[in-house]
Amino acid sequence: MSRFATAALLGAALLLAGCGANPEEAEGVLATQQPGGQPAAAQVKDQALYDRLPDKAKQAGRLVSVNNGSFPPYEIAGADGRSLTGAAADMSEALGQLLGVKIEHVTVDGLPSSLTGIASGRYDFAIGPVGDFTDRQKNNDFVDWVKEFVVFAVPKGNPDKIGSVADTCGLKISVMAGGSAEAVIKSRSAACAKEGKPKITVQSYKDQPTSVLAVSSGRADAFFSSQAPLTYFVAQAGGKLELAGKGQANGFDDLYQGAVVGKDSPLRDVLRDGIQKLMDNGTYAKIMDKWGTSDNKLDQAGVNMAKS
């Protein structure tokens, strides 16, 4: 297990055109050490996929992918607001080679800003993975390449004995603002009141590092979020945190996450076919294995796979 870095990989960034970055209080949450393993092999440009790209992308020779900077091990944004590492960065590098264009990254402040920017055409897409839900499909389309689970990061020993979301009445739970976990935990809080139990104190933060820091500092009893990034954070916590609620539905049906484009964008099917090619040629599996997300792999990329 690595020690906390004195300077976080996710520092405060200079903002571009209203873009945000991770707050100062998130510094020190992520370690600078990256997974080992060989990078995936370079991809050969697929002319047929390139020909299907929007004219704007072909003329510019690039696509702009937006992220909110704090979803390790998928997205780990640099302090410049444009560099990115993680499984999603490796996927976008391979995808860009395959499509024959450069994929550039821009970090903004929170998921709502990302989704709004994509829907308005300000950004071409988000490589994600972003949670695919039917309400989000109204304004955006999802190209799913990850299956996810939602669990809790808790202090070592799980002092509040959280076995599932049913055990959270009366606790202080941190969540990502605007995310699906926030909606579930607020719904659970209302159910607690109906059952005559204390409500949940919901602490909503704009990024993952601040949310997990609330637990490690004792301000929150647990952080409720996707299992893949929580596994990453727990591994960096020097034995101070552990996962709880694994193997439980925790208020969710099957969860899919993926790249995001504007509704009915011509880029949607190009991304789906490009990601599928990376799956078929083994590149996707190598990237997912490298970043410790083997359990989150899908066999096929899909569009708007969420049904609820």
Side-chain angles (χ1 to χ4, degrees), residues 34-267:
Q34 301 296 336
Q38 295 296 318
Q43 307 298 306
V44 176
K45 177 181 176 180
D46 186 313
Q47 188 63 42
L49 288 176
Y50 175 83
D51 290 342
R52 292 166 55 195
L53 286 171
D55 288 340
K56 174 186 174 183
K58 287 187 284 189
Q59 291 168 4
R62 67 172 187 169
L63 291 167
V64 177
S65 175
V66 64
N67 66 82
N68 63 323
S70 57
F71 195 51
Y74 295 109
E75 295 180 325
I76 306 169
D80 60 0
R82 288 186 174 272
S83 60
L84 196 74
T85 56
D90 287 355
M91 280 289 289
S92 64
E93 177 67 20
L95 190 60
Q97 293 171 357
L98 191 64
L99 298 179
V101 295
K102 181 176 178 58
I103 295 179
E104 298 180 354
H105 301 283
V106 175
T107 300
V108 302
D109 193 4
L111 179 59
S113 296
S114 295
L115 294 177
T116 300
I118 294 166
S120 69
R122 184 176 183 183
Y123 311 110
D124 295 309
F125 76 117
I127 185 65
V130 176
D132 177 3
F133 297 95
T134 52
D135 60 332
R136 293 178 179 173
Q137 293 171 9
K138 295 175 183 177
N139 297 312
N140 296 281
D141 283 331
F142 290 78
V143 181
D144 297 318
W145 55 277
V146 166
K147 185 173 182 179
E148 190 52 281
F149 311 90
V150 179
V151 297
F152 298 88
V154 299
K156 190 69 175 180
N158 192 9
D160 293 299
K161 307 302 178 188
I162 298 175
S164 74
V165 73
D167 302 322
T168 53
C169 295
L171 299 182
K172 295 175 290 185
I173 307 296
S174 65
V175 292
M176 283 275 286
S180 54
E182 180 187 54
V184 167
I185 210 70
K186 285 183 175 180
S187 176
R188 178 56 194 155
S189 181
C192 291
K194 290 182 179 179
E195 295 168 8
K197 300 175 182 178
K199 288 185 175 181
I200 298 166
T201 300
V202 181
Q203 300 177 359
S204 299
Y205 298 101
K206 65 181 180 180
D207 57 45
Q208 295 266 353
T210 311
S211 301
V212 76
L213 185 61
V215 180
S216 60
S217 67
R219 295 197 305 272
D221 299 309
F223 174 30
F224 187 47
S225 190
S226 300
Q227 184 169 321
L230 289 192
T231 300
Y232 180 91
F233 281 120
V234 166
Q236 305 301 319
K240 296 179 181 179
L241 300 175
E242 65 180 66
L243 295 182
K246 293 176 65 177
Q248 303 297 316
N250 289 325
F252 290 89
D253 295 321
D254 287 341
L255 288 175
Y256 298 100
Q257 297 178 335
V260 189
V261 297
K263 194 66 183 175
D264 298 322
S265 166
L267 188 58

Side-chain angles (χ1 to χ4, degrees), residues 279-302:
M279 290 178 170
D280 294 342
N281 70 18
T283 300
Y284 166 80
K286 289 179 181 178
I287 291 171
M288 295 292 279
D289 291 347
K290 170 187 172 182
W291 289 94
T293 51
S294 300
D295 293 342
N296 303 97
K297 289 186 290 191
L298 290 175
D299 294 328
Q300 287 191 314

